[in-house]
Amino acid sequence: MIRCTAARVDLDALASNFRVIQAHLASEALLNRAAGAGVSRAPGIIAVVKANAYGHGARPVARVLEDAGAVMLAVADIEEGVDLREAGIRAPILVFGALSVSDVSGVFDYRLTPTISSPAAGRALQAAAAERGVTLGYHLKIDTGLNRLGFRHDNLSRTLPELLASAHLRLEAVHTHFGTADDPESPLFEEQRRRFEAACLVVNDLGGGPRLRHAASSAALVRDSRVWYDFVRPGLLLYGLVPPPLHTMLALRPVMSLSSRVVAVKGVRVGEPVGYGARFTAERPTSLAIVPAGYADGLDRRLEGRGVVLVRGRRAPIVGAVSMDVLTVDVTEIAEVNPGDDVVFLGAQGEESWQRIDAREMASWTGTIPYEILCRLGARVQRLY
Ligand SMILES: *Cc1c(COP(=O)(O)O)cnc(C)c1O
């Protein structure tokens, strides 16, 4: 059985986005080589599938990206990594999150690659690796200005020697994360780039050796090939969206669409209120389509009066409160709306640009970002692949 409100996850679009990004990396690298600047070898792709692959479903998404040729998959925590291994994923899996207070046995039992972002995490993993008599490869995270996780870039000579001396740990790569890659005006991006490159030299001097480097999430990938280094780490781009306000010429396709169906059409007279709180009052004889989707499905209450859906190829405003399981759409201006008609929240209903809604546009209505729109999609919304 399939509920009216369901998400369709287009795995062909996902594979196509991967190939488009891969081709872009290769052609830019070729151009750079000719010009003698920037990266001259196409970086590998670490495909980010954390948070249930941004709401798309981690297991099927990871399978497609593994087959497409991702050099590594990345998740937020050990639990997400274990889930992928249990699904049969064999590609290397990088765990981004801090592990200082986690049970780290999953790292060993499921062959995950940890990020070490603090001396405490380094000690915990060294002890656990020693106890098992194994050597564990890890990625080192440098904090170059986001001021969240990672070893501060400016006192590595104090904090790193103990980690680098750990007999059971092997440094494989060094990485950082940008705070303002999506803001072309911010000087912090360039500052972080310089700090990262300086930090990599310090790691080298401290005996860490020249290691693989990575730094670029989607925004940085789109914006500046100088920070591609050995690997890039796109998430959002793979799902077919560019982090706002950036744009790209890449032919990406949104992977997720979300739709429902009209379950009833109701006439409302002038002056009659609609929905919880009576916040919408009909100012003309109004025709409402009742749609069985609400905030329990991840649709934001702030869509009331701001968002639209597609019905019969037209845009229709969401009016009245978005409730838990139901919302109402004003279809007065659309002829012949009937129960059973498709209602598109994300996706297309025709070829015109206004007949298409993506998570980036939906995010703009409520003042959030497309990431949140995708991740918030409710657990009860079935994903159809
Ligand atoms: C989530 C995440 C990414 C991917 O970010 P996008 O903006 O979705 O490309 C890359 N690196 C790190 C460390 C992350 O946490």
Side-chain angles (χ1 to χ4, degrees):
M1 286 210 315
I2 297 171
R3 279 209 180 83
C4 290
T5 304
R8 284 174 179 72
V9 178
D10 183 346
L11 296 175
D12 289 337
L14 177 69
S16 159
N17 294 339
F18 184 95
R19 287 192 300 269
V20 164
I21 295 167
Q22 199 174 41
H24 172 61
L25 298 172
S27 68
E28 285 284 311
L30 213 59
L31 287 176
N32 284 342
R33 185 151 58 213
V39 295
S40 57
R41 220 161 43 90
I45 298 176
I46 298 178
V48 180
V49 297
K50 64 191 177 187
N52 197 28
Y54 292 41
H56 294 68
R59 290 177 168 208
V61 163
R63 279 189 204 108
V64 167
L65 294 170
E66 175 175 52
D67 288 347
V71 295
M72 208 170 198
L73 301 170
V75 296
D77 58 25
I78 295 173
E79 291 75 6
E80 289 183 347
V82 169
D83 180 61
L84 293 184
R85 283 282 180 257
E86 285 179 340
I89 298 294
R90 304 167 65 158
I93 296 175
L94 177 63
V95 178
F96 282 144
L99 304 176
S100 47
V101 294
S102 309
D103 172 3
V104 296
S105 56
V107 166
F108 298 91
D109 299 342
Y110 292 85
R111 292 179 297 106
L112 307 178
T113 303
T115 293
I116 295 184
S117 56
S118 69
R123 278 179 217 124
L125 287 165
Q126 156 65 21
E131 194 179 302
R132 289 167 172 79
V134 298
T135 301
L136 177 69
Y138 70 96
H139 290 202
L140 171 66
K141 170 92 171 251
I142 309 285
D143 181 355
T144 53
L146 191 56
N147 284 316
R148 246 174 30 173
L149 295 174
F151 287 75
R152 278 193 70 104
H153 68 97
D154 54 4
N155 61 358
L156 295 171
S157 49
R158 269 219 334 271
T159 54
L160 269 193
E162 179 189 346
L163 177 64
L164 295 176
S166 303
H168 291 268
L169 299 179
R170 184 182 65 251
L171 176 60
E172 290 176 350
V174 183
H175 66 109
T176 194
H177 197 40
F178 293 108
T180 59
D182 56 355
D183 177 5
E185 302 295 312
S186 166
L188 181 61
F189 179 78
E190 182 59 18
E191 187 65 31
Q192 285 194 270
R193 186 183 72 81
R194 271 190 270 119
R195 288 172 178 168
F196 180 58
E197 295 189 1
C200 289
L201 295 178
V202 173
V203 173
N204 192 14
D205 288 347
L206 290 172
R211 295 296 157 182
L212 297 169
R213 298 182 293 174
H214 53 96
S217 61
S218 295
L221 189 167
V222 165
R223 178 171 158 187
D224 191 342
S225 66
R226 289 177 307 167
V227 298
W228 290 355
Y229 304 115
D230 299 293
F231 304 124
V232 293
R233 305 191 303 260
L236 197 67
L237 283 185
L238 291 169
Y239 306 106
L241 294 157
V242 181
L246 303 179
H247 292 277
T248 160
M249 300 299 282
L250 299 179
L252 302 172
R253 285 152 55 194
V255 173
M256 164 114 47
S257 51
L258 176 67
S259 63
S260 185
R261 292 166 77 189
V262 174
V263 287
V265 180
K266 168 150 305 175
V268 181
R269 300 194 178 111
V270 173
E272 286 186 329
V274 176
Y276 285 124
R279 287 199 295 266
F280 175 79
T281 303
E283 289 175 354
R284 57 178 179 177
T286 298
S287 191
L288 295 178
I290 316 298
V291 183
Y295 59 78
D297 301 295
L299 293 164
D300 198 299
R301 290 182 71 247
R302 291 167 298 174
L303 288 168
E304 169 186 358
R306 299 196 179 99
V308 304
V309 300
L310 296 168
V311 182
R312 295 198 155 259
R314 306 264 308 269
R315 289 189 161 215
I318 296 171
V319 297
V322 172
S323 46
M324 188 183 293
D325 314 304
V326 177
L327 56 76
T328 42
V329 174
D330 185 344
V331 292
T332 311
E333 287 171 20
I334 306 174
E336 289 280 328
V337 175
N338 292 304
D341 284 353
D342 285 330
V343 175
V344 171
F345 291 98
L346 296 173
Q349 220 175 41
E351 296 301 316
E352 304 290 340
S353 62
W354 49 267
Q355 290 176 315
R356 173 175 297 281
I357 299 169
D358 65 17
R360 181 164 154 151
E361 183 181 8
M362 183 184 273
S364 73
W365 299 331
T366 59
T368 185
I369 52 177
Y371 300 83
E372 190 184 6
I373 299 288
L374 297 174
C375 291
R376 268 196 173 197
L377 191 71
R380 80 172 174 194
V381 177
Q382 255 175 301
R383 275 72 166 170
L384 308 173
Y385 297 93

